[in-house]
Amino acid sequence: PSATIGVTGLAVMGRNLARNLARNGHTVALHNRTHARTESLVAEHGDEGTFVPSERLEDFVASIEQPRAIIVMVKAGAPTDAVIDELVPLLDEGDIIVDCGNAHYADTRRREQQLSDKGIHFVGCGVSGGEEGALNGPSIMPGGSRHAWDRLGPIFRSIAAEVDGEPCCVHVGPDGAGHFVKMVHNGIEYADMQLIAEAYDLLREGLGATPAEIADIFRTWNEGDLESFLIEITAVVLAQEDADTGTPFVDVVVDQAEQKGTGRWTVQSALDLGVPITGIAEATFARALSSHAEQRGPARDAFGTETGELDASDRDEYIENVRLALYASKVVAYAQGFDQIKAGSVEYDWDVDPGAMAMIWRGGCIIRARFLDRIHDAYTDDPDLPSLLVAPYFADAVRNGLDAWRQVVSQASLAGIPVPAFASSLSYFDGLRRERLPAALIQGLRDNFGAHTYRRIDRDGMFHIEWAGDALQHDA
Ligand code: NDP
């Protein structure tokens, strides 16, 4: 056996990951269900490094050094299980299967459990950065055992993106931790994009500016606190002209956003964990709303599409207010995402270091951004930080943007322009800092209709009032 690592599943992601490995000096065993893919990879890129192609899975497995490390990069779901089932009889104790596909962390936990009973190490590994990242340096989020990390760590760190000389890859934690963190990463990506979209809408509506002019604003924003890959490509997409019509590209695109499901997974998990990730949830629902054409049409017919005026008489001030609102809302979305990572880590006993996650998201992945350094610093300064919002740097950013944030959200509501992510982030912020929440009334109602009991502010214990309605309920 001569290969240091194997890759099975050579569609676009597996192919690029294998090339990245080979380019970085690793000898890579190759396999794909349909052998033609393996052949075309070797034919087109065989000169980029050392590949050991096999047509049969048995030969592929035999070509890898023990303990074997095998990356599975096939369609998520049943195909991943099918490939694992084929591999297992061919493996020895101590061998490692790495699922780099977009698996749900619960599936990863199940697979890890099943394989660990057989002495095989299963690593669920999040890979972000799409095709381009897989080839040139992704952000890599591996879960799984220490044993597996010892074998994989040096290899993965050699192919990951690098920022300030630091590879964007650390061991996230046991079993499903890597896929969980990747899932939350994708959820944050949803929130980031929704916030950017709302900012664009407000700029366009308020300023009457063209997409190309708004591209310039985003380009300027990308030189400050907001500097990030998504802001950068927003400028590119807004500046794009449609070749057929000569109109702005964004205006010829159907306004219905799609989703592959990781945002939904993030929200479902947050509901289970009881973590209010309102930014990510609003972003996920906003995509869903956009795609309900059968409701949008009748609603337009019933209510009309007019919007009111946004006061942008001071152009620079208006732009700055939108920027500050975007930044404050973004801080909220990240604070919520990190809360979810912390809650998942406690629930599943993963001991995830949130600051380290911020570090490995600085490069390679879609949400790479300057301010992740600040998140890393915040968790390094205080590992028990109750919320990112109260870390000194972010608290200042929010305080500084608060008036603008309120202006933008209230103007948008008055004008009838939807800003679900901006508005819910602001409400979340106000909810956290409110002296007393009306949740007290909800407890009262619950005690009334369901004898759910309530706690008092002045005494310990659980209390219940014999409401007049109790007798009725007992009769019913
Ligand atoms: P696809 O998800 O399109 O999967 C195609 C690959 O799966 C092919 O190699 C195919 O083999 C193989 N496959 C499907 N069913 C089976 C089966 N039953 N047994 C054996 N092999 C099977 O490929 P991608 O490269 O787009 O993605 C791979 C994984 O990476 C997915 O889990 C995806 O979610 C994840 N991912 C993708 C990203 C992206 O940007 N595309 C980004 C990050 C993660 P064959 O050639 O024989 O059909």
Side-chain angles (χ1 to χ4, degrees):
S2 57
T4 40
I5 190 160
V7 181
T8 180
L10 300 173
V12 49
M13 288 297 287
R15 178 186 177 97
N16 282 357
L17 214 53
R19 289 173 62 195
N20 186 352
L21 286 160
R23 287 174 177 190
N24 282 286
H26 306 287
T27 301
V28 189
L30 299 176
H31 176 267
N32 191 68
R33 179 179 62 178
T34 309
H35 188 54
R37 276 201 210 271
T38 312
E39 287 176 322
S40 96
L41 168 49
V42 173
E44 287 164 40
H45 305 288
D47 57 348
E48 292 179 5
T50 314
F51 295 107
V52 185
S54 297
E55 181 160 7
R56 289 167 6 117
L57 196 64
E58 294 81 347
D59 300 332
F60 165 73
V61 169
S63 72
I64 304 163
E65 280 169 13
Q66 285 179 288
R68 300 181 184 91
I70 298 177
I71 296 177
V72 176
M73 203 44 159
V74 301
K75 217 175 252 315
T80 303
D81 283 311
V83 171
I84 293 170
D85 288 346
E86 282 176 60
L87 277 171
V88 166
L90 307 173
L91 300 184
D92 294 293
E93 243 177 67
D95 284 353
I96 303 156
I97 297 179
V98 193
D99 175 15
C100 286
N102 262 337
H104 191 286
Y105 71 93
D107 286 333
T108 302
R109 282 168 58 76
R110 166 179 60 78
R111 290 169 183 145
E112 199 272 343
Q113 184 61 55
Q114 286 166 353
L115 293 189
S116 73
D117 292 345
K118 300 186 164 96
I120 291 168
H121 295 260
F122 183 76
V123 173
C125 180
V127 177
S128 176
E131 301 175 32
E132 200 275 337
L135 183 60
N136 298 315
S139 173
I140 310 181
M141 297 153 249
S145 65
R146 267 277 145 199
H147 163 90
W149 172 247
D150 289 343
R151 170 82 162 84
L152 299 170
I155 300 178
F156 280 0
R157 284 170 71 86
S158 74
I159 64 161
E162 262 185 35
V163 177
D164 304 334
E166 260 307 296
C168 295
C169 173
V170 295
H171 182 217
V172 176
D175 62 80
H179 275 142
F180 184 89
V181 162
K182 170 72 197 317
M183 174 189 77
V184 176
H185 163 284
N186 283 27
I188 291 175
E189 181 185 310
Y190 274 54
D192 248 341
M193 289 203 275
Q194 176 64 24
L195 292 170
I196 287 173
E198 289 176 19
Y200 151 73
D201 200 8
L202 289 167
L203 291 174
R204 190 148 186 197
E205 195 74 18
L207 303 171
T210 64
E213 286 163 351
I214 300 170
D216 284 336
I217 296 172
F218 275 92
R219 226 170 275 126
T220 311
W221 286 358
N222 201 38
E223 284 156 21
D225 292 331
L226 281 169
E227 181 190 321
S228 62
F229 172 67
L230 282 169
I231 295 280
E232 180 189 325
I233 64 169
T234 299
V236 173
V237 172
L238 288 175
Q240 179 75 19
E241 219 177 61
D242 178 51
D244 296 339
T245 58
T247 52
F249 162 75
V250 71
D251 289 347
V252 303
V253 179
V254 173
D255 60 345
Q256 300 178 17
E258 299 185 2
Q259 43 187 317
K260 287 209 275 185
T262 39
R264 187 175 65 232
W265 288 353
T266 315
V267 178
Q268 285 168 336
S269 149
L271 290 171
D272 290 339
L273 293 166
V275 184
I277 54 160
T278 57
I280 297 170
E282 288 295 349
T284 309
F285 288 134
R287 288 199 198 182
L289 185 153
S290 77
S291 63
H292 282 294
E294 81 293 354
Q295 293 181 314
R296 291 175 60 190
R300 279 194 293 262
D301 294 343
F303 303 109
T305 60
E306 304 79 43
T307 53
E309 285 285 298
L310 292 163
D311 178 11
S313 48
D314 185 332
R315 189 177 185 275
D316 291 343
E317 184 186 87
Y318 182 80
I319 295 171
E320 179 61 3
N321 283 353
V322 174
R323 188 187 73 84
L324 289 167
L326 171 57
Y327 194 56
S329 304
K330 183 177 160 108
V331 171
V332 167
Y334 278 70
Q336 294 174 340
F338 276 84
D339 284 349
Q340 185 172 5
I341 289 178
K342 285 184 1 187
S345 178
V346 169
E347 173 74 17
Y348 301 110
D349 219 359
W350 285 330
D351 201 21
V352 177
D353 172 359
M357 298 308 104
M359 281 295 276
I360 65 174
W361 289 347
R362 294 185 309 159
C365 66
I366 307 298
I367 64 170
R368 58 188 185 259
R370 179 199 280 197
F371 99 141
L372 287 162
D373 273 328
R374 302 288 192 171
I375 298 183
H376 169 256
D377 294 347
Y379 281 111
T380 307
D381 291 348
D382 180 3
D384 298 320
L385 198 57
S387 162
L388 204 52
L389 274 173
V390 302
Y393 169 82
F394 292 108
D396 277 350
V398 169
R399 261 185 227 111
N400 181 33
L402 193 52
D403 286 345
W405 201 7
R406 294 197 191 290
Q407 275 289 334
V408 167
V409 169
S410 53
Q411 272 211 53
S413 329
L414 288 171
I417 294 165
V419 283
F422 275 25
S424 75
S425 302
L426 180 57
S427 278
Y428 171 87
F429 165 77
D430 280 327
L432 276 188
R433 67 177 198 91
R434 188 111 167 96
E435 171 75 33
R436 265 181 73 72
L437 288 169
L441 173 59
I442 292 174
Q443 275 309 94
L445 296 173
R446 294 180 70 240
D447 189 60
N448 177 295
F449 70 69
H452 290 299
T453 74
Y454 65 95
R455 284 178 293 131
R456 296 183 57 91
I457 58 168
D458 54 358
R459 268 175 281 156
D460 285 340
M462 306 302 283
F463 298 86
H464 169 59
I465 287 188
E466 284 298 320
W467 298 91
D470 279 8
L472 276 176
Q473 279 177 12
H474 294 152
D475 288 347

